[in-house]
Amino acid sequence: MLKTKLNERNIPAVWDKAEPWKKRREDIINLLLKEEYGFMPKTHTDISFETVMEDSSFCAGKALLRKTNINLFFGEDKYTFPVYCALPNIEGKCPFIVHINFRSDFPDRYMPAEEIVDRGWGVLMFNYEDVTFDDYHKDGDKDLYTLLYKDKEIKEDSAGKIMIWAYAASRVLDYALTLPMVDPENIAVAGHSRLGKTALLAGALDERFKFVYSNDSGCSGAAIARMNKGETVKLITRDETFKYWFCENYLKYRDNEENMPFDQHFLLAASAPRYVYVASAKKDLWADPENEFLSCLAAGEVWEKLGLKGFVTDDKLPETADNLHEGFIGYHIREGSHYLSREDWQRFLDFADSKIK
């Protein structure tokens, strides 16, 4: 049944093993950046970190809460944004999550920090709008997009906002790797909705992330674009919506998904042979849970060709009680609507812990 559903979508194959996976992965990333997310106009020439706050009583003393400014230098220009981290008071190193979030609250309704710490994980979180506004171009010194393009022409394949948020996630990872309690072999990147799209891109680009977790990311995230039953490329790139998330080239696929030389399972597959986790919600029809699930199935073939377990599932659509955790791609769908819940975090951490152990 599932193969039939995939065949109906007529999606392109990710890899036919005619060339080494490392080379094919590079080609996939270049294709996704050229046609969907865009290329960064320039990258930093230097980076530094400055701790500006510490609270040793966080979570009743179970963790140290720290706020650190990340300073990025672009020649003579400097851009600073904060990252908040909870460092568990445990002996030895522990796994960490880089969480791309909608707010600077710590904890936050999308991030139950104490429960994450209780699982033995640390968390580093930044507010995406501390990097660049979730809006069209704005002047001002608090927007990295403005700085990056102040002397650059915006072209058809120039970076959209999702690319810049993903770039910032890797700079948070740079900071994480300076912390002695961080296990560098077990770091995850996580995000919800538009930031789930961002987490998938960050994980695809940066191989230092072992786990890539996307929650309800939908169109232009985890969900296959062909035959999408929710948000479409046309809807997400209308002038009054979110076309600034992407490069200009992506607009040519409005009502034209069949001619895309890729689909979103390419984005999932670009993280192979590392771990990818996708979560859906039963009532979140705008994100099209079925196409998120089928994207996992299509991407899983890459891991299988690498001799690994890809996406392990029965030949049916999943139920909300199912935890599809056996392979390198994990998945669950829960009851409810568009939200990053405690249940989502716990099910992802169950998956990640099973791979670490």
Side-chain angles (χ1 to χ4, degrees):
M1 181 184 81
L2 296 182
K3 288 292 185 182
T4 300
K5 286 181 174 291
L6 274 181
N7 290 337
E8 288 173 349
R9 284 152 179 78
N10 194 30
I11 58 174
V14 179
W15 182 40
D16 62 8
K17 295 189 72 174
E19 58 185 346
W21 172 241
K22 181 178 180 181
K23 175 62 169 62
R24 178 55 181 157
R25 178 177 171 274
E26 291 175 356
D27 291 343
I28 288 169
I29 288 172
N30 283 330
L31 176 63
L32 289 168
L33 297 187
K34 182 176 185 295
E35 299 294 327
E36 187 169 4
Y37 303 107
F39 294 94
M40 288 289 289
K42 53 187 174 182
T43 57
H44 60 286
T45 54
D46 200 2
I47 185 170
S48 67
F49 313 108
E50 177 189 8
T51 297
V52 295
M53 183 275 288
E54 285 190 349
D55 177 6
S56 60
S57 64
F58 187 64
C59 295
K62 290 184 288 187
L64 173 68
L65 177 62
R66 177 183 290 170
K67 177 182 178 182
T68 299
N69 286 336
I70 296 180
N71 301 307
L72 298 173
F73 298 89
F74 301 86
E76 296 180 355
D77 293 319
K78 175 185 174 183
Y79 188 82
T80 299
F81 71 96
V83 58
Y84 303 82
C85 54
L87 313 174
N89 288 328
I90 60 174
E91 293 185 5
K93 297 181 180 294
C94 64
F96 265 74
I97 301 164
V98 173
H99 180 206
I100 313 162
N101 201 10
F102 290 92
R103 290 161 296 275
S104 298
D105 301 335
F106 206 111
D108 177 67
R109 64 179 181 269
Y110 283 165
M111 193 188 73
E114 185 171 5
E115 294 178 37
I116 294 171
V117 167
D118 285 344
R119 293 286 299 253
W121 286 71
V123 60
L124 300 100
M125 182 270 287
F126 72 96
N127 178 349
Y128 77 136
E129 286 207 307
D130 283 338
V131 175
T132 182
F133 297 112
D134 191 2
D135 202 342
Y136 288 93
H137 175 83
K138 288 185 177 180
D139 293 327
D141 59 0
K142 293 185 178 181
D143 191 302
L144 181 55
Y145 185 95
T146 304
L147 185 153
L148 291 174
Y149 284 106
K150 73 172 189 176
D151 56 356
K152 295 284 185 179
E153 177 187 358
I154 298 177
K155 301 178 181 179
E156 291 81 0
D157 61 356
S158 293
K161 298 295 183 89
I162 287 176
M163 179 63 199
I164 294 173
W165 293 322
Y167 167 79
S170 285
R171 307 293 69 79
V172 173
L173 176 54
D174 292 339
Y175 169 62
L177 294 175
T178 70
L179 302 174
M181 67 289 296
V182 168
D183 178 359
E185 300 300 319
N186 289 296
I187 299 179
V189 60
H192 167 66
S193 192
R194 68 201 64 182
L195 303 182
K197 309 180 206 300
T198 305
L200 287 172
L201 182 59
L205 296 173
D206 196 329
E207 296 179 272
R208 299 175 297 173
F209 289 117
K210 182 175 181 177
F211 299 98
V212 183
Y213 172 31
S214 160
N215 193 85
D216 297 351
S217 61
C219 177
S220 311
I224 290 171
R226 290 162 168 83
M227 295 178 65
N228 195 301
K229 299 175 184 177
E231 190 173 31
T232 64
V233 175
K234 181 179 180 179
L235 291 171
I236 206 170
T237 59
R238 289 175 298 178
D239 287 346
E240 66 273 21
T241 52
F242 308 116
K243 72 176 185 179
Y244 56 87
W245 290 349
F246 311 98
C247 68
E248 286 289 327
N249 276 337
Y250 195 44
L251 306 186
K252 66 189 177 187
Y253 299 115
R254 294 168 165 172
D255 286 333
N256 190 32
E257 290 89 348
E258 291 297 322
N259 288 314
M260 293 167 63
F262 62 94
D263 212 313
Q264 293 307 120
H265 60 305
F266 279 46
L267 181 62
L268 272 61
S271 288
R274 292 166 289 129
Y275 295 96
V276 174
Y277 196 88
V278 173
S280 302
K282 195 171 182 179
K283 293 182 180 179
D284 189 9
L285 302 183
W286 196 239
D288 196 348
E290 181 175 309
N291 267 6
E292 289 184 316
F293 171 78
L294 292 174
S295 186
C296 294
L297 184 66
E301 295 182 359
V302 170
W303 279 263
E304 292 167 7
K305 289 176 180 177
L306 291 169
L308 304 168
K309 287 186 177 181
F311 186 48
V312 181
T313 180
D314 294 332
D315 189 25
K316 64 180 182 66
L317 294 174
E319 303 292 337
T320 54
D322 295 336
N323 287 316
L324 304 179
H325 288 180
E326 188 176 340
F328 273 70
I329 300 178
Y331 179 86
H332 76 255
I333 183 170
R334 59 160 170 78
E335 296 289 349
S337 57
H338 194 70
Y339 187 68
L340 177 52
S341 70
R342 283 168 164 76
E343 177 184 351
D344 293 314
W345 278 110
Q346 295 290 359
R347 292 171 81 166
F348 163 68
L349 290 172
D350 286 344
F351 170 81
D353 282 342
S354 72
K355 306 308 178 183
I356 293 174
K357 293 175 183 177

